[in-house]
Amino acid sequence: MKVLVVGNGGREHAIIKSLKKSDKIDEIIAIAGNGGIASDATIVNINVKDVEKIADWAKENEIDFAVVAPDDPLVLGAVDLLEQKGIPCFGPNKNAAIIEGSKIFSKNLMKKYNIPTAKYETFSDMQSALDYLDTCDMPIVIKADGLALGKGVIIAENLQDAKTAVKSMMQDKVFGNSGANVVIEEFLTGPEVSVLSFTDGKTLVPMVSSMDHKRALDDDKGLNTGGMGTVAPNPYYTEEIAKECMEKIFIPTMNAMNNEGRTFKGCLYFGLMLTPKGPKVIEYNCRFGDPETQVVLPLLKTDLFEIMRAVANQTLDKIKVEFLDKSACCVIMASKGYPESYEKGYEITIDKDLDNVFVAGAKLENGKLLTNGGRVLGVTAIDTNLKGAIEKAYKNVQKITFENAFYRKDIGKRALKAYGEE
Ligand code: AMP
Ligand code: GLY
C-alpha cells in the first residue's frame, strides 16, 4: 500500500511514525513534509493548500490511501478532490470541515442541537458588533469566523480592548476575510481539555484526553502560541465527565452533522472547558490537534492505519481502539523569539537513541538538519505515570541541541497539581 500524508508539521510526523508501525503499508509519501519527516517518508514538495495539484499528483502516482491532516486543505476540499479520483481518504469532506472553517457555523450548530457552549451573538456589520459590546459584561471573547492560524480569538478584559479587537478584525482586516464576520461570546472559566475522536459518522470513539499549554512562557504567561507542550491523559477529565461529554456533546455533534447532510468522517477534535456549569465546547477542529497528537498517538495500541481505513469505509464499529494505560508528555522546543520574530538556519543535533521526536520546523540542507520555523520539534516520553513521563521528556530535551533553542520548563506542572502531586 502507498499512503500519502498531507501536512508538514510535528502532528504529521507523529501520524507518519504511527502509520509506519502498520505492516499493511509499503511506502509513505509526505506532501509537503519537512526535513525531519524526510527520515520517515518520501517527501514531495507541493504546497498543502494547492489541493488540485495534490489530487492530480496522488492519482498519477497511484496512491492507495490519503490522510489529509491540516485544516487548510480540508476546508479547501482536498478530500473531495482525492475521492473524486477514486482515492479513499482519512479526513472530512469540505462540507463537514466547515465545523472548524466557520465558527459561526459551529456556534449555530450547537445552538440548534442544544450542545453546551458559551452564549454568543454573530455579526457581519461592525457598528452592530460595537453597539452590542456596550451591553456586555467583561471580559468578553471575540472570535474571527474563519481560519486564522489559531490566532483569531481575542479575550478582551475591558470595553475599549473589545472594541479595538472588533475593529482590527472587521475594519483593519488583520485576519483578511476570516474576520469579515465575528462571533462575540461569553467568557467561560474552568480547566481546558482536548479530546480527539475517531468518527465515521456512525460510530464515535474518543481517544485518550490531553492538555495543551498554549502560552509561550512558564506559568502560562506570554503570548498565545500554536502550543508549547502537551500531556495525556488530562487529569481533570474523569470517567464521569467523559461519560457526560459522550452523551451531551460528542454523539449529539456527530448526529447533528448527519442531520445537516454533513456527515463527518475523520478526526473530530473537541476543545472543551469544564465550567462550573458542566463541560462546554470552546471549539471544534476538523483534524488532529497539534501538539495533542504528539502525546495521543504514541499511546495508541491499535494499528492506526486499520482505524483510518475503517473510518473511510464506515466500519469503525468493527475495530477495537485501545490505548496504553500510561502517561505521555511532549515538550516543544522552539526558536527563541517565537511566536514573534526568530532566526532560522541553525543546525539541530538529535541523540541517535531518541525515539518519539517529532519534527515541525526544520529543513535538510547538505545532509544537515537546520531549524526552519518557530516550533522546531516536539520531544515525547511515555511512562507509567505523568511524573515519570515529564522527567523523561525533559531528560530527552537535553539530548537535542540547536542554537537559540527555547522551551517551557513547566509542561505538565498544572496536570501534576491536579493529581495533587506537585
Ligand atoms: P480557540 O482558538 O477557539 O481554541 O480559542 C483559543 C483559546 O482562547 C482557548 O483555548 C481558550 O483558552 C480561550 N477561549 C476561547 N473561547 C473562550 C471562552 N468563551 N471563554 C474563555 N476562554 C476562551
Ligand atoms: N492544539 C490546538 C490545535 O491544534 O488547534
Side-chain angles (χ1 to χ4, degrees):
M1 281 259 173
K2 263 170 98 171
V3 175
L4 172 66
V5 177
V6 177
N8 58 5
R11 162 186 56 205
E12 287 74 15
H13 201 182
I15 291 172
I16 287 168
K17 278 187 185 277
S18 264
L19 287 174
K20 267 183 84 173
K21 296 182 200 155
S22 175
D23 56 13
K24 309 275 182 320
I25 299 180
D26 303 304
E27 189 186 0
I28 302 180
I29 296 113
I31 289 179
N34 63 46
I37 291 177
S39 328
D40 293 293
T42 310
I43 302 290
V44 172
N45 276 315
I46 302 176
N47 187 310
V48 298
K49 289 195 202 179
D50 202 343
V51 288
E52 305 265 353
K53 204 162 164 189
I54 291 171
D56 288 341
W57 187 92
K59 179 73 184 165
E60 273 160 33
N61 290 276
E62 298 176 339
I63 292 297
D64 298 301
F65 191 88
V67 180
V68 182
D71 45 358
D72 277 313
L74 288 167
V75 170
L76 291 168
V79 168
D80 306 61
L81 293 172
L82 286 157
E83 284 178 348
Q84 276 161 25
K85 295 192 186 289
I87 299 166
C89 293
F90 180 86
N93 289 106
K94 185 177 178 169
N95 77 350
I98 192 175
I99 199 165
E100 173 169 5
S102 167
K103 290 207 192 294
I104 294 182
F105 169 85
S106 67
K107 295 296 293 189
N108 289 344
L109 184 86
M110 289 185 268
K111 189 189 250 175
K112 181 169 172 188
Y113 293 92
N114 284 319
I115 297 165
T117 189
K119 288 202 191 75
Y120 72 102
E121 293 290 337
T122 65
F123 298 92
S124 55
D125 166 61
M126 187 172 80
Q127 195 52 49
S128 313
L130 295 174
D131 291 345
Y132 174 71
L133 283 174
D134 285 325
T135 70
C136 293
D137 292 334
M138 297 293 140
I140 190 90
V141 184
I142 296 138
K143 299 187 172 182
D145 175 42
L147 296 180
L149 295 169
K151 292 178 188 152
V153 175
I154 293 175
I155 296 171
E157 298 292 337
N158 57 54
L159 187 60
Q160 193 186 344
D161 289 355
K163 289 192 169 179
T164 305
V166 163
K167 284 181 191 157
S168 73
M169 288 183 195
M170 301 186 86
Q171 183 174 289
D172 308 338
K173 302 245 180 270
V174 289
F175 304 121
N177 230 0
S178 288
N181 300 307
V182 299
V183 174
I184 299 182
E185 74 176 27
E186 164 199 23
F187 176 75
L188 299 175
T189 55
E192 285 185 56
V193 182
S194 305
V195 181
L196 286 58
S197 69
F198 293 111
T199 177
D200 61 1
K202 295 179 175 170
T203 306
L204 183 142
V205 183
M207 300 181 220
V208 60
S209 62
S210 53
M211 180 191 281
D212 197 359
H213 297 68
K214 286 197 162 111
R215 301 290 202 99
L217 307 175
D218 286 8
D219 299 319
D220 298 314
K221 299 214 168 77
L223 295 171
N224 252 327
T225 70
M228 292 300 289
T230 35
V231 296
N234 185 319
Y236 291 104
Y237 195 68
T238 60
E239 262 176 48
E240 200 185 340
I241 292 174
K243 192 165 170 279
E244 187 179 352
C245 289
M246 192 69 177
E247 283 166 10
K248 294 189 180 156
I249 296 175
F250 304 163
I251 298 295
T253 301
M254 180 181 79
N255 291 340
M257 290 299 276
N258 286 334
N259 237 323
E260 296 294 309
R262 297 176 184 271
T263 295
F264 189 103
K265 297 198 299 177
C267 173
L268 182 54
Y269 167 125
F270 299 89
L272 306 170
M273 197 172 264
L274 308 181
T275 77
K277 290 187 182 157
K280 296 194 180 187
V281 178
I282 289 284
E283 65 162 346
Y284 292 117
N285 289 329
C286 65
R287 51 168 176 89
F288 284 97
D290 188 336
E292 285 90 341
T293 306
Q294 290 90 313
V295 282
V296 170
L297 289 186
L299 292 174
L300 178 67
K301 278 206 284 190
T302 316
D303 183 322
L304 177 63
F305 187 52
E306 291 289 354
I307 300 172
M308 288 183 156
R309 280 208 299 187
V311 166
N313 299 331
Q314 293 195 292
T315 53
L316 185 58
D317 61 330
K318 304 277 185 306
I319 303 251
K320 189 153 187 245
V321 179
E322 289 181 298
F323 286 87
L324 294 170
D325 189 16
K326 292 187 175 185
S327 292
C329 172
C330 173
V331 177
I332 298 291
M333 297 180 75
S335 302
K336 200 171 90 196
Y338 172 76
E340 296 185 291
S341 61
Y342 50 84
E343 292 171 13
K344 303 188 215 179
Y346 295 114
E347 186 174 355
I348 305 167
T349 61
I350 303 175
D351 201 296
K352 281 207 171 48
D353 47 66
L354 285 185
D355 47 8
N356 291 330
V357 175
F358 305 117
V359 177
K363 62 176 177 186
L364 267 181
E365 224 171 73
N366 303 322
K368 286 183 180 165
L369 192 61
L370 306 179
T371 63
N372 193 37
R375 290 192 295 173
V376 175
L377 52 84
V379 187
T380 296
I382 294 175
D383 201 43
T384 47
N385 60 37
L386 179 62
K387 202 165 186 188
I390 295 169
E391 276 167 17
K392 270 192 193 166
Y394 278 106
K395 216 160 113 197
N396 290 347
V397 164
Q398 301 309 319
K399 298 179 184 168
I400 296 175
T401 59
F402 57 91
E403 219 168 293
N404 279 354
F406 163 76
Y407 57 91
R408 273 180 63 161
K409 311 284 189 299
D410 66 340
I411 301 302
K413 198 169 151 191
R414 218 185 320 134
L416 278 182
K417 222 179 194 169
Y419 282 124
E421 267 191 49
E422 244 176 303

